[in-house]
Amino acid sequence: MSSCDDICREIARVAYELYEKSGMIDGRDIENWLEAERVVMARHAELEKTAESSSPKEGCAPKKKAKSRPASKKSEPTGRDKKTKTAKTKKEVVL
């Protein structure tokens, strides 16, 4: 950002331009200065906004993409959760 001296010089320049455009009417120096302040500060705010949006802020890393998780494996039941399988009995055929 510009120093205070640079901003004050710019405000003075814009205030003088406003004085000239208004027909060099005396007694409007405060109004011209205040209007010049609004113009200059708005200009600097816009420049800062543009600069911030075009470059990453200090200390802020770009967002990382989330890693995709592998498909979950179906776990086999253990212990009490394990379902017991009943064996089918074969009928013996007698001839």
Side-chain angles (χ1 to χ4, degrees):
M1 183 169 173
S2 300
S3 70
C4 291
D5 290 337
D6 293 339
I7 291 174
C8 285
R9 279 191 217 110
E10 187 176 355
I11 292 170
R13 183 183 52 76
V14 172
Y16 190 77
E17 289 173 5
L18 292 171
Y19 169 70
E20 289 179 322
K21 286 180 184 178
S22 68
M24 297 183 154
I25 301 170
D26 290 332
R28 301 195 60 205
D29 53 331
I30 294 175
E31 291 87 1
N32 291 336
W33 185 270
L34 295 175
E35 179 63 23
E37 279 184 342
R38 282 191 286 275
V39 169
V40 170
M41 298 312 283
R43 193 179 300 160
H44 281 270
E46 186 63 33
L47 289 173
E48 284 183 17
K49 183 189 269 187
T50 304
E52 286 177 0
S53 66
S54 65
S55 63
K57 293 182 180 177
E58 192 173 309
C60 294
K63 292 182 178 180
K64 294 181 181 178
K65 292 183 179 179
K67 293 181 180 178
S68 60
R69 294 183 180 172
S72 63
K73 296 179 183 178
K74 292 184 179 179
S75 61
E76 292 186 24
T78 57
R80 290 185 295 167
D81 297 335
K82 195 173 199 177
K83 292 183 179 180
T84 57
K85 293 182 180 179
T86 55
K88 292 184 181 179
T89 57
K90 293 183 183 178
K91 292 184 181 178
E92 293 182 25
V93 180
V94 178
L95 293 174

